Amino acid sequence: MTEPGFSGRLIVVSNRLPVSLKKEPDGKWTSKMSSGGLVAALSGLKSNFIWVGWIGAEIEEDDREEVTRILRDNHNCIPVFLSEKVANDHYNGFSNGVLWPLFHYLPGDVDYDDDIWNSYVEANTIFSQVVADILEPDDLVWVHDYHMMLMPEILKQKCPDARIGFFLHIPFPSSEIFRVLPCRKEILMGMLNCCLIGFHTYDYARHFLKACTRIIGAETVPNGVYFKDKFVQVGVFPVGIDPDKFFETLQTPKVQSRIKELSKSFEGMKVVIGIDRLDYIKGLPQKLQAIEKLFQNYPEWKGKFVLIQVAVPSRQDVDEYQKLKKEVEELVGRINGLYGSLGYSPIHYLFQSVDSDELTALYNISDAALISSIRDGMNLVAQEYIVSQTDKKGVLILSEFTGASQSLSGAVMINPWNTEEVAESINTALTMSKEEREEKHQMLLNYVTKHTASHWGLGFVRELYKASHQAEKIFSIPKLDIDQVVEVYKKSKRRLLAFAYDGTLIPYSNLPTLCRPTQELVDCFDVLSNDPKTDIYILSGRDKKTLSEWFCGLNIGLSAEYGCFFKEPQSDDWEQVVPSMDLSWKETIRPLFKYFTLRTPGSFFEEKEMLFTWHYRNADPIFGSIQARELHLHLDNLPLDVIVGNKTLGVRSYNINPTTSMRRVIQDSIPEGLDFILLIGDTHIHPSELPQFEGKVYTISVGKKNSKDSFYLSDPSEVMELVTKLEKISSEEVQLK
Ligand SMILES: O=P(O)(O)OC[C@H]1O[C@H](O[C@H]2O[C@H](CO)[C@@H](O)[C@H](O)[C@H]2O)[C@H](O)[C@@H](O)[C@@H]1O
Ligand SMILES: O=c1ccn([C@@H]2O[C@H](COP(=O)(O)OP(=O)(O)O)[C@@H](O)[C@H]2O)c(=O)[nH]1
């Protein structure tokens, strides 16, 4: 394999298996491996790989065993069997009727309903089960494309240790388009259960990261997403082709003779080639309109120019594709009628697929290739055209809306919507000097022969292997074993429990006033605080009034405004921790906070006695973060403490910090007999700061993050699980007395 240490198998999952399968009249099955881009990409991997996918048709129950055997023994493939309804709704319905148009920026063509969504979920679940059944501990799973976006999450639920990578072959649209999707959260969460997510271009990766921030509020960095307890790496891997295949095909006598034949037929003409699936993303109407414009603007091309347009039949059972076929045929007929003559047709239109020999010969004899996609994940035709050029050094005219345009800078770039410009570019390409053509071609050839399909496949798997290890290392603190803590609690003689509040005992909310403690929490704390062996503290940034109101009557210690005020468990009186405090900064800083609040829609400013907090949870997540960074810069050089919270930025008098109160309790004088300390949340003391403490200390962060804590719990619901179990012990102890 590609990385030392990787001894497992690579399980590749794609909607379609790269095998065509046929039942012969004598009842025997025949099968043939196809030579698509993915097959070429994976052939470079030395690892042992298995391919999981759908065979493209419903297979009768009685034939399934035999089909499975043939695919496994002859092709290393494992079939996924889907009923006709699920397959149709999954592939034609949701994948090609919803995701395909939306991801190619055509939201008007989306045809969503719950039924097809359910089939999409079902198909992804069936695929996941097939993988789960064969998965072994050292395996890597590589999931491909928009048909399978939920699979990583479903597979992870079945096999929590699975190491999964995902690659999207089509564009990931701007979050403004993506958010139209009713199931947008499910799709993002589905993908985020991976170690590595790959896209063809930086733009697609950037759009994905933005969607994660805006739609699920995830924290992102340019190379990944922090999601739940993990870091999901996001990378750019532009796919390539297998140039050797084209070089070899070009040398065959059959292709050489076809090249001669075609060159003779089009002698004296300039030939432009178009090879596209008949798909609305390929911009065929735009291409034909530009040809018409070419004849209008440059009538001298009449009789000397042909476009050979191969339109490969595709998805003919989807309405939009049938409409497109009609539109394209009408345009071809009109242009040939207007600019052709007896014996001359400017457009040679073939609604059929062509084999690789014919394709290579067509590429070779053409003076230019015209690719006018209005959106296209990559577009491999562009690369295939380049490697099939020999003497002509034909020019590549390439839409700037293809992924390929980001790496093929030697092409003549076009905006397919600008008909005049495209016509102009065709003329430029066909009249370009030999030197310029050679220079551009060499530049393109250098790129395509270096960034091949196998380079892509190897690069992704290598990165996936690394990412699967880094994901584990990044957060190295272990999860708290709640039951083990409960056992230690049970045996301890005197305990101290201290909790942060927001994000620890209660989840963060859009409105801080809504984060009242639940009755369950108050009841648990009531029992715990009446256990003479247990002392409880809450350390919060909240003000005195709010905390007193929420926890009135409970025998617990409270610290307000991040340590500025303190109330002992048995007392009702608040004490100012640092008695004489200069608060003159408030007058200077208040206008700054007001300024940022006014200029950041959705944010608000909270003024407490000793503390200012600016909340931007409800602001646009990206703008909010930019504004927070800006505000932080303004506060940086002042003799004040800046508190960076979860979607909040606070400032308070220097010299006070959240642990000030706790230090009084456990650092200055450890209460006598204390043998159990549990500190949960962000605002506590590190164990190394405790003076000679013999007992057991647990410092716990909520949410897995890089911290000095000894353990973590995932969220407030897990904190509550722990609190409830401790309450049960205390309750039993108090009753026994
Ligand atoms: O066969 P379909 O289900 O109709 O799928 C359409 C094509 O999907 C794939 O194309 C996409 O991936 C290419 C390689 O990454 C990329 O160049 C292109 O822009 C994408 O649309 C697949 O590679 C094709 O074979 C399918 O025909
Ligand atoms: O009759 C044909 C003509 C072309 N192709 C191949 O189809 C692929 C098209 O890939 P591209 O990325 O350009 O667009 P897609 O069809 O995947 O959207 C290329 O490898 C072509 O060689 C094909 O299979 N049959």
Side-chain angles (χ1 to χ4, degrees), residues 188-296:
L188 290 178
M189 309 269 223
M191 294 170 78
L192 284 169
N193 277 268
C194 289
C195 312
L196 175 65
I197 302 178
F199 299 92
H200 284 309
T201 73
Y202 174 64
D203 276 346
Y204 306 160
R206 197 167 49 83
H207 292 154
F208 172 74
L209 293 172
K210 257 199 180 162
C212 291
T213 312
R214 288 196 187 285
I215 294 165
I216 54 173
E219 190 191 336
T220 61
V221 285
N223 69 335
V225 184
Y226 291 93
F227 177 65
K228 289 188 185 160
D229 296 344
K230 302 171 293 142
F231 179 68
V232 183
Q233 198 178 311
V234 171
V236 177
F237 303 86
V239 76
I241 58 163
D242 177 8
D244 291 342
K245 197 188 112 203
F246 287 86
F247 297 152
E248 282 156 23
T249 308
L250 270 174
Q251 299 311 318
T252 61
K254 188 178 166 207
V255 172
Q256 282 300 318
S257 114
R258 183 65 181 147
I259 288 174
K260 279 201 192 97
E261 211 173 280
L262 287 166
S263 305
K264 193 145 183 284
S265 314
F266 295 107
E267 209 165 356
M269 304 248 185
K270 289 284 183 191
V271 179
V272 172
I273 185 79
I275 306 279
D276 303 274
R277 261 181 322 103
L278 187 56
D279 192 310
Y280 48 77
I281 66 156
K282 301 291 180 181
L284 283 167
Q286 286 81 350
K287 188 187 297 199
L288 295 168
Q289 278 151 14
I291 301 296
E292 188 167 12
K293 187 58 80 186
L294 177 80
F295 284 119
Q296 286 166 3

Side-chain angles (χ1 to χ4, degrees), residues 534-594:
T534 303
D535 291 332
I536 311 185
Y537 295 86
I538 293 178
L539 312 176
S540 171
R542 299 273 181 169
D543 59 44
K544 293 181 287 184
K545 189 167 163 279
T546 307
L547 291 177
S548 301
E549 188 199 318
W550 284 350
F551 298 102
C552 68
L554 297 186
N555 192 17
I556 63 182
L558 297 172
S559 161
E561 298 198 22
Y562 292 119
C564 294
F565 300 99
F566 187 66
K567 182 193 88 63
E568 295 282 1
Q570 284 84 8
S571 157
D572 284 336
D573 299 328
W574 285 92
E575 183 190 331
Q576 188 170 312
V577 174
V578 181
S580 58
M581 187 106 60
D582 176 11
L583 293 176
S584 57
W585 60 267
K586 288 176 85 177
E587 296 312 312
T588 334
I589 300 298
R590 190 180 294 109
L592 189 64
F593 273 69
K594 286 196 169 162

